[in-house]
C-alpha cells in the first residue's frame, strides 16, 4: 500500500497510493504532466464525487485512441502533438545499429507507430531495449531525436505507476529491496544527485586548479593515467556503452572529443562545458555504471598499490587528492 513520494529527485519517502489524488497531482506534480493529461486532470478533478479516476486510468483513457490507431497518420490526426513525428522508413538507408536491430524482428514500416504506442504505454527503457534487441539505451535517444518523438518524462511515468495499487506496491518493494541490499549504491545515487547540482563555475575552477597542479607535479598525472587505464580494463561493458553513446552525438561534440583524447589538445572554456555535459548525460543515463566504475577504480587502486606500480612513481595511495 505504499508508494514513492518524489519530494526530491534522489531522496524517497513512502506514502499510501490513495494519497496521490488528482488534487495532489495538480498542486504538487503538474509540471510533469503532458499538456493533454494536464487538461484531463483539471476536468476530472473539478467534478465532485469520491470516485474520481486515478492518473493511470486517465492516462489510459486519454491515449486509448492512440493504442487503437492503425497507422501513424491516423495517430497524428487524433493527436496533433505528434504531427512532427517522422516515420523511420525515411532513414532506411542509414547504417544505424538501431535500424539493423529493428529489421531483424519486424518490418521497418510498422516500427514508428508501435514504438510511439510503447512509449505511451509507459514501457520502461530497459524493456524497450530488450523488446527491440538494442545493445543499450543510447539507441533510444537516437530514435527519439531522429523521429522527433517527445516521450513522457520519467517523473510522469513513475507518477502514473504510483497511483495504481499493484504497480505502486511493486515500485515501493523494489525500492526498499534495492536500498536494503545495496545501501552503498543508494548513497552513491544520492551523492551523484548532489554533485549534479554543483555550480558549473566551481567545477571549472577546480578543473583549472587540477590542470595547473599536474603541470607542476607531472608524476600525479601519470598516476591518474595508470589508474584510469586499469579501471577501464575492468569495465568493457561501459566502454561499449560509451562507444554507442558517442556515435549518436553531433559532429561538434565528436570533434571536441577527438581534440582532447586523440590530439591531446587543450579545450576552450565553451568546449569544456560541452564535454562536461556529454559526460554528465551519459552517467545520468547509466547510474548503475557510475557505481560500477567507482567500484572498479577502487579495485584498480588496490591492485596497483599491491603491485607497487604507484609507489614506483614515488607516490602513496592518497597523493594529489585523486
Amino acid at each position: 500500500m505504499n508508494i514513492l513520494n518524489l519530494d526530491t529527485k534522489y531522496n524517497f519517502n513512502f506514502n499510501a497510493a490513495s494519497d496521490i489524488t488528482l488534487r495532489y497531482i495538480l498542486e504538487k506534480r503538474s509540471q510533469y504532466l503532458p499538456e493533454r493529461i494536464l487538461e484531463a486532470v483539471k476536468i476530472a478533478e473539478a467534478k465532485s464525487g469520491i470516485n474520481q479516476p486515478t492518473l493511470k486510468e486517465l492516462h489510459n483513457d486519454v491515449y486509448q485512441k492512440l493504442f487503437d490507431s492503425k497507422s501513424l497518420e491516423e495517430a497524428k490526426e487524433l493527436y496533433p502533438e505528434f504531427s512532427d513525428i517522422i516515420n523511420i522508413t525515411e532513414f532506411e538507408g542509414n547504417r544505424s545499429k538501431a535500424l539493423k536491430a529493428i529489421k531483424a524482428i519486424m518490418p521497418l514500416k510498422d516500427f514508428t507507430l508501435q514504438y510511439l504506442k510503447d512509449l505511451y504505454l509507459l514501457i520502461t527503457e530497459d524493456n524497450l531495449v530488450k523488446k527491440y534487441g538494442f545493445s543499450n539505451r543510447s539507441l533510444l535517444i537516437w530514435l527519439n531525436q531522429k523521429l522527433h518523438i517527445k516521450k513522457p518524462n520519467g517523473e510522469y511515468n513513475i507518477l502514473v505507476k504510483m497511483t495504481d495499487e499493484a504497480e505502486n506496491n511493486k515500485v515501493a518493494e523494489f525500492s526498499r529491496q534495492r536500498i536494503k541490499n545495496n545501501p552503498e549504491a543508494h548513497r552513491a545515487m544520492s551523492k551523484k544527485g548532489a554533485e549534479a547540482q554543483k555550480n558549473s563555475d566551481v567545477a571549472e575552477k577546480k578543473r583549472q586548479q587540477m590542470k595547473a597542479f599536474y603541470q607542476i607535479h607531472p608524476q600525479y598525472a601519470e598516476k591518474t593515467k595508470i589508474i584510469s587505464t586499469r579501471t577501464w580494463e575492468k569495465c568493457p561493458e561501459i566502454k561499449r556503452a560509451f562507444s554507442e553513446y558517442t556515435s549518436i552525438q553531433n559532429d561538434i561534440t565528436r570533434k571536441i572529443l577527438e581534440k582532447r583524447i586523440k590530439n591531446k589538445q587543450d579545450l576552450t572554456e565553451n568546449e569544456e562545458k560541452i564535454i562536461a555535459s556529454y559526460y554528465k548525460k551519459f552517467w545520468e543515463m547509466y547510474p548503475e555504471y557510475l557505481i560500477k566504475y567507482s567500484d572498479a577504480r577502487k579495485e584498480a587502486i588496490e591492485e596497483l598499490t599491491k603491485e607497487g606500480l604507484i609507489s614506483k612513481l614515488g607516490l602513496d595511495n592518497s597523493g594529489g587528492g585523486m
Side-chain angles (χ1 to χ4, degrees), residues 128-169:
L128 287 174
V129 167
K130 293 176 183 177
K131 176 175 181 176
Y132 293 109
F134 297 153
S135 54
N136 59 59
R137 283 174 281 183
S138 298
L139 298 182
L140 297 178
I141 294 179
W142 182 85
L143 284 168
N144 295 338
Q145 290 176 341
K146 288 293 184 182
L147 304 184
H148 297 174
I149 294 179
K150 184 177 181 180
K151 68 182 183 67
N153 66 50
E155 288 84 357
Y156 175 71
N157 194 328
I158 294 174
L159 192 59
V160 171
K161 291 181 179 180
M162 282 171 14
T163 64
D164 177 79
E165 286 294 347
E167 288 293 337
N168 96 61
N169 286 338

Side-chain angles (χ1 to χ4, degrees), residues 19 27 55 107 141:
D19 292 339
E27 292 178 350
L55 182 60
I141 294 179

Side-chain angles (χ1 to χ4, degrees), residues 258-273:
E258 183 178 4
K259 180 179 178 180
R260 163 174 278 180
I261 298 172
K262 185 177 179 180
N263 300 330
K264 310 295 183 184
Q265 296 177 343
D266 291 337
L267 304 184
T268 66
E269 182 177 347
N270 186 56
E271 289 172 337
E272 288 285 359
K273 290 180 180 179

Side-chain angles (χ1 to χ4, degrees), residues 33-226:
L33 308 183
E35 185 175 349
R36 186 179 289 270
I37 294 294
L38 178 59
E39 292 305 312
V41 170
K42 288 179 180 178
I43 293 171
E45 202 282 325
K47 295 179 180 178
S48 60
I50 61 174
N51 295 319
Q52 289 188 336
T54 66
L55 182 60
K56 182 175 182 180
E57 290 169 338
L58 270 181
H59 175 90
N60 289 339
D61 182 59
V62 167
Y63 291 108
Q64 187 58 54
K65 291 181 179 180
L66 168 64
F67 305 145
D68 293 338
S69 294
K70 303 301 182 184
S71 68
L72 182 60
E73 289 67 29
E74 180 184 355
K76 288 183 177 183
E77 185 175 346
L78 292 167
Y79 299 86
E81 63 266 36
F82 299 149
S83 61
D84 292 336
I85 292 177
I86 299 174
N87 198 312
I88 198 171
T89 54
E90 295 191 23
F91 301 96
E92 189 162 7
N94 195 298
R95 297 176 63 183
S96 164
K97 293 181 180 179
L99 270 69
K100 183 178 180 181
I102 294 167
K103 290 178 180 178
I105 62 171
M106 66 189 299
L108 203 60
K109 64 182 179 64
D110 298 334
F111 172 77
T112 307
L113 177 61
Q114 185 57 55
Y115 179 62
L116 179 62
K117 290 180 180 181
D118 288 344
L119 289 176
Y120 281 82
L121 283 166
L122 304 182
I123 297 176
T124 66
E125 289 188 341
D126 284 343
N127 286 333
L128 287 174
V129 167
K130 293 176 183 177
K131 176 175 181 176
Y132 293 109
F134 297 153
S135 54
N136 59 59
R137 283 174 281 183
S138 298
L139 298 182
L140 297 178
I141 294 179
W142 182 85
L143 284 168
N144 295 338
Q145 290 176 341
K146 288 293 184 182
L147 304 184
H148 297 174
I149 294 179
K150 184 177 181 180
K151 68 182 183 67
N153 66 50
E155 288 84 357
Y156 175 71
N157 194 328
I158 294 174
L159 192 59
V160 171
K161 291 181 179 180
M162 282 171 14
T163 64
D164 177 79
E165 286 294 347
E167 288 293 337
N168 96 61
N169 286 338
K170 290 180 183 178
V171 172
E173 184 58 27
F174 174 79
S175 299
R176 287 196 196 92
Q177 291 301 319
R178 185 174 185 182
I179 294 171
K180 178 181 177 181
N181 297 334
N182 198 347
E184 286 298 327
H186 178 65
R187 281 192 287 272
M189 286 292 290
S190 297
K191 183 178 179 181
K192 174 180 177 288
E195 289 176 347
Q197 303 299 319
K198 285 184 178 178
N199 186 288
S200 60
D201 291 338
V202 174
E204 173 62 18
K205 182 178 180 180
K206 183 176 180 180
R207 188 193 71 80
Q208 293 294 343
Q209 289 173 339
M210 293 308 299
K211 181 179 177 181
F213 179 85
Y214 286 145
Q215 290 175 343
I216 299 172
H217 305 285
Q219 70 271 32
Y220 285 105
E222 181 63 21
K223 173 190 173 182
T224 299
K225 180 179 178 181
I226 64 172

Side-chain angles (χ1 to χ4, degrees), residues 4-14 29 179 186-187 189-191 193-194:
L4 291 176
N5 180 7
L6 300 184
D7 286 329
T8 68
K9 193 170 182 180
Y10 294 94
N11 298 297
F12 307 114
N13 298 312
F14 296 100
R29 300 289 180 260
I179 294 171
H186 178 65
R187 281 192 287 272
M189 286 292 290
S190 297
K191 183 178 179 181

